[in-house]
Each structure stands twice: as structure tokens, then as C-alpha cells.
Amino acid sequence: MDIEKILEDMTVEEKILMCSGQDFWHTVELKKYDIDALEMCDGPHGLRKQKSNAGMLDMYDSLPATCFPAAVTSASSWNPEMLKKMGEAMASEAIANHIQVILG
């Protein structure tokens, strides 16, 4: 895939779609350029994926997930290996929940 060529071929409207997304949690799919939609969820202390019928900020309809300490707390540990393990655990949960991007 030649990114420069895709950007050159995209219309302004298509580029705007890439910035605004399909909805609050999904990017837009552009089959013409072989670009799949991505699903995002809140972070950074773990996933906060909402049930499919939940509203944008309806936190009470989130799926169960691990909640990690706040970044200021985990960074104060000065333990890079622990931070790596936290990142790997969040990545595993993201993969299990079909999430491509954790916001945070």
C-alpha cells in the first residue's frame, strides 16, 4: 500500500471522513483504498468498551475489564518491566475485545 498515492488520490471529503470517523468509537471504512474501519475504546488505565447499544458516555454499560493504577502511580514505581506487563495485559484485552486502538 502506497500511503502517499492514497493521500494524493483522496478527495478532501474523504480526508475529512478519516478525521471525523463513522461514529464515536469507529473510524470510517474506505473500501476504495482498502482501508478498514478501526474500533477504539477509552483507556489509559485499562479498556472501557461500551456495550453496542450504550450511549457515548454511558459508563454503566461498559463491559468488564481490568482497571490498572493511574499513570502517575505506576510511573512512580520506576519499574519498566511492570509497565511493559501492564501494556501487554491491556493489549491482550484489546485483542480479545476486537479493539484496534486504546485511547489514553
Side-chain angles (χ1 to χ4, degrees):
M1 176 188 320
D2 181 1
I3 304 247
E4 295 297 324
K5 175 79 170 113
I6 290 171
L7 289 172
E8 184 181 308
D9 292 346
M10 285 177 122
T11 66
V12 171
E13 290 79 10
E14 289 168 330
K15 290 175 184 174
I16 292 169
L17 279 173
M18 293 299 296
C19 293
S20 62
Q22 172 185 325
D23 57 35
F24 196 77
W25 297 112
H26 299 86
T27 63
V28 71
E29 175 183 56
L30 293 175
K31 289 184 187 248
K32 174 179 172 182
Y33 304 107
D34 199 27
I35 298 173
D36 295 329
L38 301 176
E39 185 173 358
M40 301 172 258
C41 74
D42 273 344
H45 313 300
L47 301 184
R48 188 179 72 78
K49 182 178 179 180
Q50 294 178 228
K51 294 178 183 173
S52 60
N53 60 346
M56 179 175 79
L57 296 175
D58 193 353
M59 289 195 260
Y60 297 106
D61 272 340
S62 296
L63 299 173
T66 306
C67 183
F68 294 96
V72 67
T73 304
S74 54
S76 296
S77 74
W78 297 93
N79 186 336
E81 186 59 32
M82 181 196 66
L83 297 173
K84 181 179 183 225
K85 288 180 181 178
M86 284 173 53
E88 289 170 346
M90 282 189 259
S92 293
E93 285 191 15
I95 291 166
N97 284 284
H98 310 287
I99 297 294
Q100 291 82 32
V101 178
I102 301 174
L103 302 173

